[in-house]
């Protein structure tokens, strides 16, 4: 950066121009690149501070999806006899809960991140987008830890992961994209209307039941399934299961969900960009 | 051609004062208000009367290598200007051009987290200020040594003493080497020893040819560090020039006396059956006074009345009156009560005026505030006015010390007797030339 500076400063061209019209591009690559170390340290701060002064520490990252799975396995799997596409219900539901827990955790953290870092935003300039981005990135650590349990659970039931399990990486990236987009949208709204932070937990709960997390998509009438796939997490979670278990991937449904994730991410980024300049005045 | 570092043109910033509509009268309205809140921005635009211009058409240039000081009273727009130039908040109108990488220190320790160690906080804070990791790696030892926290570098900062914490925070900030630096009052931290170190560092920064924009209330520091100054008042540039001329203008008491010296009852609490209705700083003849020398007596003329409409026979008798003299930022310095043994009991009347004389020398030159308090001891909080009166204390009339007296080194204007015990065991006063 400072190398480039020498050239620019000598040329008599302003390094930065500040005016009210804000004709700044949606993504300032040069600036983001300069601040990449900050993204790293913000993410790392979130991770290292999260379980400070807890007894269980990172075990919390496992307990949350695991205990939820146990509850659903007892009530839906055993008592209600929920179908699970021929897979033991605990494995079936954990495969849904794993990405879902990441998604909802990332959206919640990102959605409250801007208000939560108000003291930074009002004191110093840096690309604001780093705040929700570091929130979704730090949630990835919990996701990775909880994934270890999946391995144990599958070994317990004697299920060998299919070779397609490598697809988990791009699928995780897609989940992160959807979570970041929605998280940014909510984060920007939360600056102006604090109602958002109270609505997020409720929204996530409803959203979970609108997603095939604890029930199979096959329960939804076939005619409704394309509409159902507009929920980005529908296609993603189905693809998770198919990738790990080696069953047929429903490409059209994944395609719709991926597209919808991309659209949501773009809308979220745009909304965030539109409002970020006034964050310091409104937060 | 001298190179430009910052160009500010016609900069204005408007704030909307929140809650413009009159407050909700009862629950139904309050609920409607809440329900309507998300849709309000689609409604009629707010009236211009709710607007507050924190900055109005401010222009100035800063040359490369120049150290410019911005001074002005609270609310003059100094911090708003810094916030716009450091890109924290956008301007409403105008334009700023920055010719170089900019770093802003509007606060030290931004982003410090108590649970993280000193080492971790240096990296976090450094990157928040815009440094790269390799820059911090290179300066790490220097930062730690400057702060003097080598032994505690791997201890969570929440276990640091407040002094250590501030030293570490400043140390990171002081090693930010951008071409342009914006600094807001960060020197007012730490003990005297560390303040001196900070000043030394700022001197060094100023001399290395970097451009610095400085905001502080501390005129002595400003005079020392800044070559040029700008005086802001209510969002506009009043004057600019050499720091000394601008600072002289700022320190000179307001001849009209409109900003202070007049009783201001806006912040009033208490049951209110009796109230302080006026408070003034006066001279020996009872006329209004302003900028009283710090070595003269301070006279406060106070009027207290039973509020109209109280039953006949209500009187001021038995009430306790207290004056709390505070520094400009609200720190209480001195309490004076009419029940002190030099005081006076309030008369059995519905109104009275009392004169309070605080023998000089009083306070170090600067701005002070008086809060008034009237009460029935142990029973009733009758009347309290925060910031009832703001007044200026001027420089001493008689010689005091060969340096400027300023509030950064303490508020009370006192002279001690100094005696040399060693090597001469006989006490000598310097002005008694060995008699």
């Amino acid at each position: 950066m400072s190398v480039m500076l020498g050239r620019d400063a000598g040329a008599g061209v302003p390094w930065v121009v500040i005016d009210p019209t804000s004709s700044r591009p949606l993504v300032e690559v040069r600036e983001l690149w300069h601040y990449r170390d900050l993204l790293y340290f913000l993410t790392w701060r979130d991770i290292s501070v999260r379980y400070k002064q807890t007894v269980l520490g990172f075990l919390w990252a496992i307990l949350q999806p695991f205990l939820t799975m146990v509850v659903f396995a007892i009530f839906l799997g055993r008592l209600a006899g929920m179908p699970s596409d021929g897979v033991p219900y605990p494995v079936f539901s954990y495969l849904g809960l794993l990405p879902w827990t990441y998604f909802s955790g990332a959206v919640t953290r990102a959605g409250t991140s801007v208000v939560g870092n108000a003291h930074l935003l009002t004191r110093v300039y840096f690309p604001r987008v780093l705040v929700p981005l570091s929130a979704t990135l730090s949630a990835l650590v919990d996701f990775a830890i909880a994934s270890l349990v999946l391995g144990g659970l599958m070994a317990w039931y004697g299920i060998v992961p299919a070779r397609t399990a490598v697809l988990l990486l791009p699928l995780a990236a897609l989940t992160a994209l959807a979570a970041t987009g929605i998280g940014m949208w909510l984060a920007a709204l939360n600056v102006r209307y604090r109602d958002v932070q109270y609505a997020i937990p409720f929204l996530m709960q409803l959203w979970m039941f609108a997603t095939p997390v604890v029930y199979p998509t096959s329960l939804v009438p076939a005619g409704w399934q394309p509409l159902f796939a507009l929920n980005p997490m529908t296609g993603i979670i189905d693809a998770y299961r198919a990738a790990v278990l080696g069953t047929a991937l429903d490409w059209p449904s994944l395609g719709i969900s991926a597209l919808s994730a991309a659209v949501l991410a773009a809308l979220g980024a745009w909304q965030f960009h539109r409002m970020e300049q006034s964050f310091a005045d409104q937060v | 051609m001298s190179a430009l570092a910052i160009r500010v043109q016609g900069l204005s910033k408007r704030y909307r004062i929140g809650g413009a509509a009159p407050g909700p009268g009862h629950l139904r309205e309050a609920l409607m208000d809440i329900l309507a809140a998300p849709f309000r921005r689609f409604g009629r635009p707010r009236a211009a009367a709710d607007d507050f211009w924190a900055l109005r058409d401010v222009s100035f240039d800063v040359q490369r290598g120049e150290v410019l000081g911005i001074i002005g009273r609270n609310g003059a727009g100094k911090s708003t200007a810094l916030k716009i130039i450091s890109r924290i908040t956008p301007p409403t109108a105008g334009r700023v051009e920055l010719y170089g990488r900019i770093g802003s220190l509007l606060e030290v320790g931004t982003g410090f987290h108590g649970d993280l160690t000193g080492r971790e906080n240096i990296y976090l804070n450094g990157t928040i200020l815009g440094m790269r990791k390799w820059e911090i790696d290179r300066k790490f030892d220097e930062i730690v040594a400057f702060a003097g926290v080598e032994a505690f570098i791997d201890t969570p900062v929440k276990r640091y003493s407040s002094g250590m914490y501030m030293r570490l925070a400043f140390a990171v900030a002081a090693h930010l080497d951008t071409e342009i630096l914006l600094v807001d009052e960060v020197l007012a931290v730490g003990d005297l020893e560390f303040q001196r170190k900070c000043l030394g560092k700022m001197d060094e920064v100023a001399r290395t040819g970097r451009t610095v924009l400085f905001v502080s209330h501390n005129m002595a520091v400003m005079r020392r560090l800044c070559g040029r100054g700008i005086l802001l008042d209510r969002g506009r540039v009043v004057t600019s020039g050499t720091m000394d001329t601008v600072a002289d203008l700022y320190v000179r008491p307001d001849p009209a006396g409109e900003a202070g010296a007049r009783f201001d009852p806006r912040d009033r609490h208490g049951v209110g059956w009796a109230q302080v209705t006026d408070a003034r700083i006066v001279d020996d003849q009872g006329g209004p006074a302003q900028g009283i020398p710090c070595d003269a007596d301070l006279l406060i003329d106070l009027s207290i009345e039973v509020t109209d409409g109280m039953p006949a026979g209500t009187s001021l008798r038995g009430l306790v009156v207290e004056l709390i003299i505070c520094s400009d930022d609200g720190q209480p310095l001195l309490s004076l009560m009419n029940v002190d043994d030099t005081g006076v009991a309030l008369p059995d009347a519905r109104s009275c005026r009392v004169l309070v004389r605080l023998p000089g020398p009083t306070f170090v030159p600067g701005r002070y505030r008086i809060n008034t308090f009237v009460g029935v001891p142990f029973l009733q909080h009758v009347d309290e006015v925060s910031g009832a009166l703001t007044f200026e204390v001027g420089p001493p009339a008689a010689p005091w010390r060969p340096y400027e007296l300023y509030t950064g080194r303490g508020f009370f204007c006192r002279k001690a007797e100094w005696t040399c015990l060693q090597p001469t065991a006989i006490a000598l006063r310097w002005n008694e030339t060995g008699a």
Side-chain angles (χ1 to χ4, degrees):
Chain A
M1 192 85 173
S2 46
V3 179
M4 292 168 62
L5 180 72
R7 200 185 61 212
D8 282 11
V13 177
W15 179 249
V16 175
V17 174
I18 303 164
D19 59 26
T21 52
S22 166
S23 51
R24 297 158 67 183
L26 187 59
V27 181
E28 282 186 73
V29 179
R30 183 179 73 164
E31 191 179 69
L32 282 179
W33 184 244
H34 174 77
Y35 277 98
R36 64 191 185 276
D37 290 342
L38 177 57
L39 177 62
Y40 170 78
F41 281 110
L42 281 178
T43 307
W44 170 86
R45 173 198 69 176
D46 285 356
I47 294 166
S48 75
V49 165
R50 187 169 324 137
Y51 297 114
K52 280 266 158 84
Q53 286 204 4
T54 59
V55 177
L56 296 180
F58 280 95
L59 270 179
W60 280 111
I62 295 174
L63 281 177
Q64 208 189 337
F66 185 77
L67 291 179
T68 316
M69 179 275 286
V70 170
V71 170
F72 280 119
I74 292 170
F75 286 95
L76 284 182
R78 184 131 317 178
L79 298 181
M82 174 72 77
S84 53
D85 294 343
V87 185
Y89 186 81
V91 175
F92 173 86
S93 62
Y94 196 79
L95 268 170
L97 282 165
L98 185 64
W100 177 259
T101 307
Y102 167 67
F103 176 78
S104 88
V107 168
T108 307
R109 278 184 209 149
T112 52
S113 62
V114 170
V115 170
N117 284 291
H119 61 287
L120 290 186
L121 304 188
T122 53
R123 291 288 183 273
V124 66
Y125 173 80
F126 55 85
R128 272 47 177 131
V129 65
L130 298 184
V131 169
L133 207 54
S134 70
T136 45
L137 285 179
S138 70
L140 274 175
V141 174
D142 285 7
F143 177 63
I145 294 170
S147 299
L148 299 176
V149 177
L150 178 66
L153 203 63
M154 290 181 63
W156 177 265
Y157 284 98
I159 302 169
V160 181
R163 271 204 312 226
T164 46
V166 290
L167 283 176
L168 284 189
L169 284 177
L171 284 172
L174 195 58
T175 319
L177 181 74
T180 307
I182 294 158
M184 281 170 79
W185 198 330
L186 294 174
L189 278 178
N190 194 29
V191 171
R192 196 177 295 202
Y193 307 112
R194 294 297 153 85
D195 315 55
V196 172
Q197 69 197 44
Y198 302 107
I200 289 175
F202 184 60
L203 174 75
M204 286 296 120
Q205 211 168 6
L206 289 186
W207 198 333
M208 177 174 146
F209 288 106
T211 307
V213 177
V214 293
Y215 58 87
T217 310
S218 51
L219 233 55
V220 177
W224 288 94
Q225 284 193 7
L227 193 66
F228 196 54
L230 277 179
N231 169 2
M233 287 311 286
T234 297
I236 291 173
I237 286 183
D238 278 344
Y240 260 90
R241 291 204 177 103
V244 173
L245 302 171
T247 54
L249 216 68
D250 183 358
W251 287 105
S253 153
L254 179 60
I256 295 173
S257 290
L259 198 66
S260 137
V263 168
L264 279 172
L267 281 174
W270 177 73
Q271 181 77 3
F272 190 86
H273 179 72
R274 220 168 53 88
M275 296 177 74
E276 68 179 337
Q277 277 221 326
S278 59
F279 280 172
D281 290 337
Q282 294 192 336
V283 74
Chain B
M1 187 192 91
S2 66
L4 201 60
I6 305 174
R7 165 160 285 172
V8 175
Q9 285 173 318
L11 204 63
S12 299
K13 175 75 181 179
R14 179 184 54 205
Y15 283 105
R16 295 267 152 86
I17 301 192
H26 44 77
L27 187 65
R28 192 169 55 91
E29 282 173 35
L31 276 173
M32 289 308 290
D33 208 45
I34 290 165
L35 289 175
F39 311 104
R40 187 166 301 137
R41 66 198 179 107
F42 302 117
R44 67 186 167 80
R46 290 181 191 197
D50 304 326
D51 291 348
F52 163 72
W53 290 88
L55 277 184
R56 203 90 203 237
D57 199 20
V58 168
S59 303
F60 58 87
D61 284 352
V62 187
Q63 303 300 321
R64 185 157 319 152
E66 192 172 31
V67 182
L68 178 80
I70 303 182
I71 56 182
R73 310 219 180 282
N74 288 333
K78 307 181 299 282
S79 300
T80 306
L82 281 199
K83 279 192 168 180
I84 294 171
I85 298 170
S86 58
R87 305 168 73 193
I88 292 166
T89 180
T92 309
R95 179 181 164 93
V96 179
E97 291 169 9
L98 302 173
Y99 296 84
R101 216 179 113 199
I102 192 162
S104 59
L105 304 175
L106 269 53
E107 175 193 68
V108 294
T110 307
F112 262 43
H113 197 291
D115 281 321
L116 299 179
T117 67
R119 181 188 303 277
E120 295 166 335
N121 272 307
I122 289 176
Y123 280 98
L124 181 61
N125 185 227
T127 47
I128 286 172
L129 293 176
M131 286 192 241
R132 298 289 316 280
K133 182 173 176 297
W134 58 264
E135 286 180 81
I136 304 170
D137 286 338
R138 216 182 45 194
K139 291 176 192 152
F140 187 82
D141 293 336
E142 209 182 316
I143 292 173
V144 176
F146 187 85
V149 296
E150 291 92 338
F152 306 97
I153 196 62
D154 290 310
T155 308
V157 296
K158 66 179 173 189
R159 310 215 191 291
Y160 279 28
S161 71
S162 58
M164 280 162 63
Y165 184 98
M166 292 315 293
R167 290 207 303 271
L168 184 65
F170 184 86
V172 182
H175 289 80
L176 180 66
D177 57 4
T178 51
E179 287 80 2
I180 306 172
L181 202 58
L182 308 183
V183 185
D184 189 358
E185 301 252 40
V186 288
L187 291 168
V189 301
D191 51 33
L192 202 63
E193 162 69 10
F194 190 70
Q195 277 188 27
R196 199 164 294 147
K197 214 165 151 184
C198 297
L199 272 177
K201 187 77 192 172
M202 293 319 297
D203 258 348
E204 196 186 307
V205 166
R207 270 199 303 271
T208 51
R210 287 161 63 193
T211 312
V212 185
L213 210 61
F214 224 145
V215 163
S216 172
H217 280 118
N218 188 332
M219 283 309 121
V221 168
M222 293 295 264
R223 282 177 204 265
R224 181 170 152 192
L225 294 179
C226 306
R228 214 157 61 85
I230 287 182
L231 176 59
L232 288 183
D233 185 40
R234 274 161 271 169
R236 293 173 194 271
V237 176
V238 177
T239 185
S240 70
T242 66
M243 191 67 224
D244 279 327
T245 57
V246 174
D248 285 344
L249 194 73
Y250 172 72
V251 174
R252 198 171 60 204
D254 203 350
E258 51 154 351
R262 191 172 293 162
F263 181 60
D264 177 3
R266 280 174 302 180
D267 190 3
R268 192 193 281 276
H269 302 276
V271 290
W273 61 263
Q275 289 186 330
V276 170
T277 52
D278 195 15
R280 284 180 300 150
I281 302 291
V282 293
D283 57 21
D284 273 318
Q285 283 73 48
Q290 196 36 272
I292 324 97
C294 64
D295 49 356
D297 294 358
L298 180 66
L299 283 92
I300 304 155
D301 179 337
L302 207 60
S303 302
I304 307 164
E305 283 175 26
V306 170
T307 313
D308 288 340
M310 283 294 139
T314 314
S315 96
L316 300 172
R317 199 155 104 181
L319 286 178
V320 170
V321 180
E322 185 184 23
L323 301 178
I324 300 176
I325 303 182
C326 305
S327 62
D328 196 22
D329 58 7
Q331 175 81 24
L333 302 174
L334 183 68
S335 151
L336 305 170
M337 282 199 191
N338 73 320
V339 292
D340 293 338
D341 67 356
T342 51
V344 63
L346 293 198
D348 191 2
R350 287 181 75 95
S351 74
C352 75
R353 268 177 75 190
V354 289
L355 184 69
V356 183
R357 176 189 291 268
L358 178 65
T362 54
F363 299 99
V364 165
R367 270 166 91 84
Y368 296 88
R369 276 193 249 166
I370 298 180
N371 300 340
T372 64
F373 182 85
V374 178
V376 180
F378 307 113
L379 283 178
Q380 209 174 37
H381 182 145
V382 178
D383 180 51
E384 179 184 355
V385 185
S386 297
L389 194 58
T390 305
F391 66 97
E392 301 262 356
V393 174
W400 192 285
R401 65 163 65 149
Y403 311 106
E404 191 174 355
L405 288 162
Y406 73 94
T407 51
R409 300 190 114 86
F411 293 105
F412 293 99
C413 236
R414 302 304 309 275
K415 278 179 179 169
E417 292 202 9
W418 293 63
T419 311
C420 186
L421 299 177
Q422 286 284 347
T424 317
I426 307 160
L428 286 179
R429 296 265 291 275
W430 67 273
N431 54 353
E432 285 172 12
T433 54

